[in-house]
Amino acid sequence: MSPRSFQETKGDRLLNRIGSKLEIPRPSITSFSIDAVCRVAQQGYELTYLYFMQFYSALFFSQEIGLGLVGFGVFFTFLGVVLFFDKGLLALGNIFWLMGVTILLGWRSTLKLFTNSNNYKGSVSFLLGLFFLFVRWPMLGIILEIYGCFVIFSGFGPSIKVFLFQIPVIGWVLRYLFSA
């Protein structure tokens, strides 16, 4: 097999593989040229972009589920507080919130967040508050959980500030209030 025929068969296999996925007609070996290679490279880029978008749409879908669970958790916790510290609603809200944060951040990031040396006080108070909720002391449990959340998520303050400043109406008001 000569080197030229080896290159043609290698290019032919590449065109077959990409062409079958994109449903394009495969050029014959006699019309194999630089144009065909450029077309395959461009379509390969488009195929890579499609795979990239499919991966990130799945990632965004799981983040949407996490945000939904966090929202349900906050809603049930708020409802539990409004209904005179209903223990069942508070426990359900905490379970939803904790699972939503875990899905939103991922298992490893959540574990790192709760076991970070700067967040030990917050983690212990949050888990102690969760324990007090489950043993039917909701007032103490909610107070400890709120303190724990403030300590754990206090490191996100600058990121939240930047995010809030970029929201159209709220950002304008915040910039006006804090520009002085």
Side-chain angles (χ1 to χ4, degrees):
M1 184 182 258
S2 70
R4 178 75 178 146
S5 63
F6 174 72
Q7 289 175 350
E8 288 174 350
T9 57
K10 185 177 178 185
D12 196 33
R13 282 189 302 229
L14 180 65
L15 283 173
N16 278 335
R17 192 176 72 212
I18 293 176
S20 66
K21 290 185 181 178
L22 295 177
E23 298 175 2
I24 57 171
R26 183 182 62 82
S28 65
I29 292 180
T30 56
S31 66
F32 187 74
S33 64
I34 297 297
D35 274 346
V37 171
C38 291
R39 197 166 11 118
V40 168
Q42 180 184 7
Q43 289 167 352
Y45 170 75
E46 291 169 0
L47 192 64
T48 305
Y49 177 74
L50 289 175
Y51 287 147
F52 178 75
M53 291 308 293
Q54 286 175 351
F55 171 73
Y56 275 104
S57 67
L59 181 68
F60 290 149
F61 182 69
S62 67
Q63 287 179 342
E64 288 174 2
I65 291 173
L67 280 174
L69 285 173
V70 167
F72 276 127
V74 169
F75 173 73
F76 280 116
T77 302
F78 175 74
L79 198 61
V81 170
V82 167
L83 295 174
F84 303 110
F85 291 94
D86 183 39
K87 298 158 189 77
L89 288 174
L90 290 173
L92 191 62
N94 280 316
I95 291 170
F96 278 150
W97 185 84
L98 204 55
M99 291 308 298
V101 167
T102 304
I103 290 174
L104 191 62
L105 297 177
W107 290 103
R108 288 188 183 128
S109 297
T110 304
L111 192 63
K112 285 180 185 176
L113 180 70
F114 278 93
T115 59
N116 188 0
S117 63
N118 297 332
N119 297 338
Y120 277 146
K121 284 193 321 187
S123 299
V124 168
S125 67
F126 181 80
L127 294 175
L128 197 59
L130 194 62
F131 171 74
F132 281 130
L133 262 176
F134 287 137
V135 295
R136 307 291 182 172
W137 288 9
M139 295 278 274
L140 183 61
I142 285 292
I143 291 170
L144 285 172
E145 281 186 359
I146 290 172
Y147 172 73
C149 283
F150 278 126
V151 170
I152 289 173
F153 294 108
S154 64
F156 293 116
S159 300
I160 293 171
K161 180 182 172 186
V162 168
F163 173 73
L164 288 176
F165 279 178
Q166 291 184 3
I167 296 175
V169 176
I170 296 171
W172 300 329
V173 171
L174 289 176
R175 274 190 229 114
Y176 178 74
L177 290 175
F178 294 115
S179 65

